[in-house]
Amino acid sequence: MVYSEECDFIFRLKGILEFACQLDNPNGAQSQSTISKSFQDLRSKVSSKNIVFTVCNSPVLIWPNTGFQSSVESLTEASACGDILQCIESDDGGSKKSSKKKDKKKSGPTVVNMKLLFEVTEPAGDEAPSLIRVSTPQHCVKMPLPLDCTLSVTPDESLAIVCTGLVEALNKQLADMERVVLWYRKGSSFLVPQPFHFQLPKPAGLITVIYPAGVPDSQLQAIREDLHRKFKLPCDRPYLRRANAFHFPDAAYKDGYLHNPHIHLNPPNTEDAKLYLVQGVYSYHHYMQDHVDDNGWGCAYRSLQTICSWFQQQGYVETAVPTHTQIQQALVDVGDKEPRFVGSRQWIGSIEVQAVLNQLLGVTSKIMFVSKGSELATKGRELANHFQTEGTPVMIGGGILAHTILGVAWSENTGQIRFLILDPHYTGGEDLQTITDKGWCGWKGPEFWDQNAYYNLCLPQRPKTI
């Protein structure tokens, strides 16, 4: 299913189906057909009249396979799917449609969450129970299948088409899960198939890939290579590692940090300028986080942590964002600092950031030097090229301050430039409105820099891998 800028709604359907089968001989020739038969039974189940979709935080129940029936009289098969928002309660008790907040900038599509249910009672028939005695040993296999399907549509699409699309997505996902189970099983030992959603460049859009639980990304490279070829993706950066999974706009991040606060900003009013921005997801690291009082000395550490979070969340590394102590120890390990540096409150700069990225993440960086801050206004082409090709956050240090550059608005014709700055000197809580309204994440002109101080910029380079 494809999500594009024209698709304002994502319907997301989640539920658990229990897979069960009995194998006479787990390694026998008939075991594969037995497993496939069990999956076929599940596909028949989701295509039956007993399937029910319930819309979260609403009284809406929909029977998609009975000619479309709804528990809400006003919702019919011809209703626009956007009408369903009137039935969904928001956090403040009103309808989701009427209580929509006006963000500075729309940061993603509206997500309608649904759950998969089944009616368990049916009219009694003429059937009688039967008993079968099996004399040979049987291996009984049971496991939960975590179904998670998406459908991206425009708000005027009919509910009937949405429901039909979701049933088709369920059937396809079960077929994909069957292939994964058969490929990775060993006798009666099965790996649970897990769905992951990925937002790919157009025209692919939002896709779903099934990976086996417990198999690390390092062992799934052949699968990713096939998918890169299928969707004509570049082969120099990861798109389909688990860390690249699509983050739904209505879902909270679990690590406690703000992510990508810049997407809530409006672009600057710079004549004839194009935007060149950080690509992907990062977390905002700043003073006083993680129970560490680094006010006055830790700004470069925090900028480095933001950069490390970017490499982690793009799937390049699986290691956690380093602490101040781990950063200092890395500098000791490479011979840049004496052992007494660990545990101190000494500043670091762009050169140290470059060394730590290489030591802890295996990431190389370029260093850009300007002898005074006024020269930064002339670096639009270099910075635009960096964000266009590498897309990584840039650490800049000058005088006694460090900041993170997330992008530039630059006009090739006039040379005008504005810098998108993430400021690590913020000491408050994770309050998005304060951070954006007060300029802790915001667009700054060339006058933001100390015009007479020299600056070093650390421009991390992407590893060439998928």
Side-chain angles (χ1 to χ4, degrees):
M1 299 303 170
V2 175
Y3 161 64
S4 68
E5 292 178 356
E6 293 75 30
C7 294
D8 294 323
F9 277 65
I10 296 178
F11 282 80
R12 187 182 190 188
L13 177 64
K14 300 177 71 176
I16 302 291
L17 282 182
E18 184 179 82
F19 170 87
C21 70
Q22 288 187 316
L23 304 176
D24 294 334
N25 180 1
N27 298 309
Q30 294 298 315
S31 60
Q32 180 169 325
S33 61
T34 301
I35 295 167
S36 295
K37 174 63 168 58
S38 296
F39 272 102
Q40 181 56 52
D41 291 343
L42 292 177
R43 288 193 288 273
S44 297
K45 185 175 182 178
V46 300
S47 300
S48 72
K49 294 182 178 181
N50 293 341
I51 190 174
V52 182
F53 299 161
T54 177
V55 179
C56 299
N57 300 319
S58 85
V60 179
L61 296 171
I62 296 173
W63 287 259
N65 294 332
T66 57
F68 190 92
Q69 294 182 22
S70 168
S71 61
V72 175
E73 188 175 344
S74 61
L75 294 177
T76 68
E77 60 183 345
S79 297
C81 64
D83 293 346
I84 210 165
L85 292 187
Q86 299 171 357
C87 303
I88 301 176
E89 290 187 4
S90 63
D91 294 337
D92 58 10
S95 74
K96 197 167 184 179
K97 188 172 186 178
S98 64
S99 66
K100 246 182 171 179
K101 293 183 179 179
K102 292 183 179 178
D103 276 340
K104 287 188 175 183
K105 179 182 175 185
K106 182 176 173 63
S107 58
T110 297
V111 179
V112 178
N113 291 295
M114 308 175 79
K115 291 183 179 179
L116 176 65
L117 302 175
F118 292 91
E119 289 186 321
V120 295
T121 56
E122 298 181 8
D126 298 329
E127 298 85 359
S130 60
L131 297 176
I132 300 176
R133 182 183 179 188
V134 178
S135 58
T136 58
Q138 297 268 308
H139 293 263
C140 182
V141 177
K142 289 186 177 183
M143 67 176 173
L145 299 178
L147 296 173
D148 187 348
C149 299
T150 64
L151 181 69
S152 301
V153 293
T154 55
D156 57 351
E157 195 68 83
S158 73
L159 279 174
I161 289 179
V162 168
C163 289
T164 299
L166 288 172
V167 172
E168 291 175 355
L170 285 170
N171 276 283
K172 181 182 183 304
Q173 192 160 110
L174 285 167
D176 291 341
M177 287 183 168
E178 177 185 346
R179 283 191 286 272
V180 169
V181 167
L182 289 172
W183 183 260
Y184 286 95
R185 80 178 180 100
K186 294 181 179 179
S188 59
S189 177
F190 289 32
L191 297 181
V192 175
Q194 296 177 324
F196 292 85
H197 308 292
F198 299 97
Q199 180 68 62
L200 302 184
K202 293 180 181 179
L206 188 62
I207 70 163
T208 304
V209 178
I210 308 299
Y211 288 140
V215 178
D217 285 341
S218 59
Q219 296 179 24
L220 298 172
Q221 177 149 340
I223 293 175
R224 294 197 302 274
E225 289 173 351
D226 288 342
L227 291 169
H228 272 249
R229 285 190 289 269
K230 176 180 178 180
F231 293 107
K232 297 180 172 60
L233 299 173
C235 291
D236 62 348
R237 61 190 59 185
Y239 284 91
L240 297 162
R241 298 189 182 197
R242 290 178 174 94
N244 301 126
F246 179 67
H247 183 81
F248 287 87
D250 64 330
Y253 283 95
K254 298 178 181 179
D255 58 12
Y257 301 103
L258 284 179
H259 293 68
N260 286 28
H262 75 279
I263 66 174
H264 299 276
L265 299 172
N266 288 318
N269 186 19
T270 305
E271 185 180 354
D272 194 35
K274 292 182 179 180
L275 296 182
Y276 303 89
L277 302 177
V278 63
Q279 302 172 23
V281 180
Y282 61 88
S283 53
Y284 178 23
H285 293 260
H286 56 77
Y287 278 169
M288 307 300 287
Q289 284 179 331
D290 314 312
H291 307 290
V292 175
D293 182 358
D294 57 348
N295 193 350
W297 62 273
C299 51
Y301 292 82
R302 297 300 188 177
S303 180
L304 171 57
Q305 288 177 331
T306 293
I307 293 172
C308 290
S309 77
W310 186 93
F311 281 96
Q312 179 195 56
Q313 293 177 65
Q314 267 51 247
Y316 286 103
V317 297
E318 296 180 0
T319 53
V321 172
T323 65
H324 291 57
T325 301
Q326 290 169 334
I327 292 169
Q328 293 174 337
Q329 185 62 54
L331 290 170
V332 172
D333 292 343
V334 298
D336 185 79
K337 303 292 183 185
E338 297 294 328
R340 64 177 178 274
F341 177 67
V342 177
S344 72
R345 293 191 166 203
Q346 293 184 35
W347 300 339
I348 61 173
S350 301
I351 304 302
E352 287 90 347
V353 167
Q354 178 189 38
V356 173
L357 287 172
N358 188 54
Q359 174 71 6
L360 296 184
L361 275 62
V363 168
T364 60
S365 304
K366 293 181 179 179
I367 296 293
M368 180 191 298
F369 171 75
V370 294
S371 59
K372 51 186 178 179
S374 58
E375 294 180 13
L376 285 167
T378 68
K379 298 300 181 181
R381 186 178 304 277
E382 292 93 327
L383 289 171
N385 181 67
H386 170 80
F387 287 110
Q388 204 167 30
T389 57
E390 303 298 328
T392 62
V394 171
M395 182 270 181
I396 178 170
I400 61 173
L401 300 176
H403 293 86
T404 308
I405 302 177
L406 299 175
V408 292
W410 174 64
S411 169
E412 186 173 7
N413 294 325
T414 68
Q416 289 191 57
I417 187 171
R418 290 184 71 83
F419 301 86
L420 180 55
I421 301 299
L422 189 67
D423 195 333
H425 303 93
Y426 174 64
T427 59
E430 310 313 301
D431 185 333
L432 176 63
Q433 186 168 352
T434 297
I435 288 165
T436 54
D437 287 353
K438 300 296 184 181
W440 297 104
C441 178
W443 289 96
K444 313 291 183 182
E447 70 281 355
F448 175 75
W449 311 109
D450 185 332
Q451 300 298 289
N452 296 312
Y454 70 86
Y455 284 90
N456 286 325
L457 289 77
C458 178
L459 288 71
Q461 307 295 293
R462 286 179 183 258
K464 308 303 181 187
T465 180
I466 64 169

